[in-house]
Amino acid sequence: MRTLATGQSGTQLGRIKASIREQIQSGIFTEGQKLPSERELSELFSTTRITLKDALVSLETEGLIYREERRGWYVSPERIRYNPLSRSHFHQMIREQHRIAETRLLSTRTEMAAGDYAKALNLAEGQPVLKICRVNYKQDGELMDCELEYWRPDSVVIHIDSIGSCCACLREEPHTYKNSD
């Protein structure tokens, strides 16, 4: 059995984390690869399973590894770079990172515009506004975000079977509206 590098200074916990991190960054452990078992790693690092587990949980918090129940620890894929404040389309951002995303519609309904929503949409108080709630997922089913949007009913078309992008619907047919209620 190969011994893992532990030459870094600091605590044993810090050395374990640094060693595993270095091996991931150098490509010894690759994306999706299963790490040796906790028992094997604790033997390789000459430490207790408690200390080892603390190191693994810390690396999981950093996003470098993840745990599958009763299967072990795996190297995480590169984190998705996602800025929800960006004007970029969610699916486009994910596609540019060579991933697949899914959007699910939770609800659409018409409400009466009030306060800041009415002002932002340039509507009089009490005029109808379309409220859309949807969630975005990564290809592995992990929830990325939940979006709550308010639209002028005369500026968007909603196709329930292709809700992936309200922006795309807006560009295609900018003055029609179909309510799902």
Side-chain angles (χ1 to χ4, degrees):
M1 205 180 281
R2 185 171 57 118
T3 302
L4 301 178
T6 58
Q8 290 83 1
S9 61
T11 66
Q12 186 176 28
L13 180 73
R15 287 190 299 271
I16 293 169
K17 286 173 46 180
S19 177
I20 294 173
R21 183 183 300 110
E22 180 183 310
Q23 292 186 51
I24 290 170
Q25 291 170 342
S26 69
I28 292 171
F29 292 134
T30 59
E31 182 178 307
Q33 181 179 352
K34 186 176 189 284
L35 296 179
S37 71
E38 290 180 17
R39 183 184 54 76
E40 291 173 312
L41 287 171
S42 61
E43 288 174 9
L44 289 170
F45 285 109
S46 300
T47 190
T48 66
R49 286 198 46 199
I50 293 170
T51 301
L52 178 76
K53 182 118 178 167
D54 287 346
L56 294 172
V57 168
S58 180
L59 291 170
E60 180 181 34
T61 302
E62 293 176 27
L64 289 176
I65 61 175
Y66 64 96
R67 184 171 195 268
E68 288 189 7
E69 193 64 36
R70 300 184 140 316
R71 296 192 65 216
W73 293 91
Y74 294 82
V75 177
S76 297
E78 184 179 342
R79 283 188 171 180
I80 290 178
R81 294 173 310 281
Y82 175 51
N83 178 358
L85 301 177
S86 167
R87 303 282 293 157
S88 294
H89 183 274
F90 174 77
H91 287 261
Q92 179 183 345
M93 279 194 290
I94 300 302
R95 234 184 345 266
E96 288 170 354
Q97 295 176 58
H98 310 290
R99 306 276 179 84
I100 298 169
E102 177 184 349
T103 297
R104 293 183 197 151
L105 177 67
L106 295 180
S107 66
T108 64
R109 71 180 196 210
T110 302
E111 294 184 352
M112 299 300 189
D116 292 339
Y117 298 119
K119 187 186 264 186
L121 293 170
N122 199 23
L123 292 170
E125 297 255 347
Q127 281 190 289
V129 63
L130 180 62
K131 180 179 178 180
I132 300 172
C133 183
R134 59 189 180 172
V135 290
N136 292 311
Y137 294 89
K138 295 189 314 186
Q139 67 198 37
D140 61 6
E142 182 180 344
L143 178 66
M144 289 291 295
D145 71 354
C146 180
E147 299 175 349
L148 182 60
E149 300 176 338
Y150 291 87
W151 292 82
R152 292 178 58 102
D154 61 353
S155 67
V156 66
V157 61
I158 302 298
H159 298 287
I160 299 306
D161 59 348
S162 63
I163 192 66
S165 170
C166 285
C167 295
C169 296
L170 179 66
R171 286 192 300 271
E172 292 171 12
E173 297 178 68
H175 297 293
T176 58
Y177 164 65
K178 178 177 146 188
N179 192 347
S180 66
D181 292 340

